[in-house]
């Protein structure tokens, strides 16, 4: 959670990428509403949560929970609260929920879905000017070096070796030529 535009839209997918060895199940509103195999969003939601629990250890991904909660019907809200409450504490299901606003702004009934003892919250804050300089320092230093003095990438050096080997093999005539590498 944190102020809008703090990178929340990128954080959720990055977490899922790091945990790609675990099965993940998304309960974002567009997925629930577009599920053609379900008659309702509630049915789709129930199926996703049940599948997630049956494939534990797994991840239940809930992006944009503030928008989700604001847009969802009362029956869908009740359904998610009941489903989350029914997941046993001993279950190995991680719920990754991402909010585009501060925790204080979220409705209390949504906040009640998360157990305060087991929930890990991470507040996104803007980086300081020093942190930004530190992050971009190497990139700025490399950009200031003139092109002819930049180190060649490893793949470019490998291509040069291959071209040298190819050229030297063409010089085989009567065997008197000396194979030399260009300097």
């Amino acid at each position: 959670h944190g102020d809008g535009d703090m990178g929340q839209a990128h954080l959720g997918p990055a977490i899922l990428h790091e945990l790609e060895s675990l099965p993940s199940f998304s309960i974002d509103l567009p997925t629930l509403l577009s599920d053609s195999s379900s008659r309702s969003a509630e049915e789709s939601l129930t199926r996703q949560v049940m599948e997630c629990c049956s494939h534990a250890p797994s991840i239940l991904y809930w992006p944009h929970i503030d928008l989700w909660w604001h847009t969802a019907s009362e029956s869908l809200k009740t359904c998610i609260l009941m489903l989350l409450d029914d997941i046993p504490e001993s279950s190995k299901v991680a719920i990754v929920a991402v909010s585009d606003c501060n925790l204080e702004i979220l409705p209390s009934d949504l906040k009640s879905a998360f157990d305060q003892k087991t929930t890990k919250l991470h507040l996104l804050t803007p980086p300081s000017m020093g942190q930004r300089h530190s992050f971009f320092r190497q990139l700025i230093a490399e950009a200031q070096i003139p092109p002819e003095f930049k180190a060649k990438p490893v793949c470019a050096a490998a291509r040069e070796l291959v071209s040298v080997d190819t050229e030297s093999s063409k010089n085989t005539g009567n065997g008197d030529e000396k194979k030399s590498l260009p300097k």
Side-chain angles (χ1 to χ4, degrees):
H1 70 95
D3 293 334
D5 297 330
M6 291 297 302
Q8 292 95 323
H10 305 288
L11 182 63
I15 292 170
L16 293 180
H17 177 73
E18 283 298 312
L19 300 173
E20 67 184 344
S21 63
L22 298 174
S24 63
F25 299 86
S26 181
I27 56 170
D28 63 313
L29 209 48
T31 300
L32 298 178
L33 295 173
S34 66
D35 185 0
S36 61
S37 63
S38 298
R39 292 176 289 186
S40 66
E42 292 83 3
E43 182 181 347
S44 179
L45 173 65
T46 303
R47 183 180 311 117
Q48 288 288 82
V49 174
M50 299 307 282
E51 283 287 316
C52 184
C53 291
S54 68
H55 287 89
S58 58
I59 301 167
L60 186 64
Y61 179 52
W62 192 4
H64 311 289
I65 60 171
D66 51 326
L67 296 173
W68 193 103
W69 199 260
H70 178 71
T71 308
S73 66
E74 287 302 315
S75 62
L76 192 59
K77 291 176 186 178
T78 303
C79 189
I80 187 67
L81 291 175
M82 291 174 68
L83 287 167
L84 292 177
D85 193 46
D86 288 346
I87 297 175
E89 277 190 39
S90 61
S91 177
K92 295 182 191 266
V93 173
I95 301 169
V96 177
V98 181
S99 169
D100 297 323
C101 66
N102 281 318
L103 184 65
E104 296 79 31
I105 298 172
L106 293 176
S108 59
D109 48 350
L110 174 58
K111 288 191 276 189
S112 72
F114 301 98
D115 183 6
Q116 299 302 317
K117 293 178 275 185
T118 59
T119 300
K120 306 264 191 239
L121 298 175
H122 184 76
L123 174 63
L124 298 176
T125 57
S128 68
M129 194 57 74
Q131 290 170 322
R132 289 179 191 192
H133 283 293
S134 174
F135 183 81
F136 288 108
R137 183 174 297 134
Q138 181 180 0
L139 178 65
I140 292 169
E142 287 180 13
Q144 292 173 341
I145 298 173
E148 62 270 9
F149 296 113
K150 288 186 180 176
K152 291 182 183 175
V154 174
C155 59
R159 271 185 290 201
E160 278 186 20
L161 288 176
V162 170
S163 68
V164 167
D165 287 342
T166 306
E167 289 174 14
S168 64
S169 65
K170 289 179 185 176
N171 292 336
T172 57
N174 60 7
D176 294 337
E177 301 93 0
K178 291 184 179 178
K179 295 180 185 177
S180 62
L181 295 176
K183 295 182 183 179

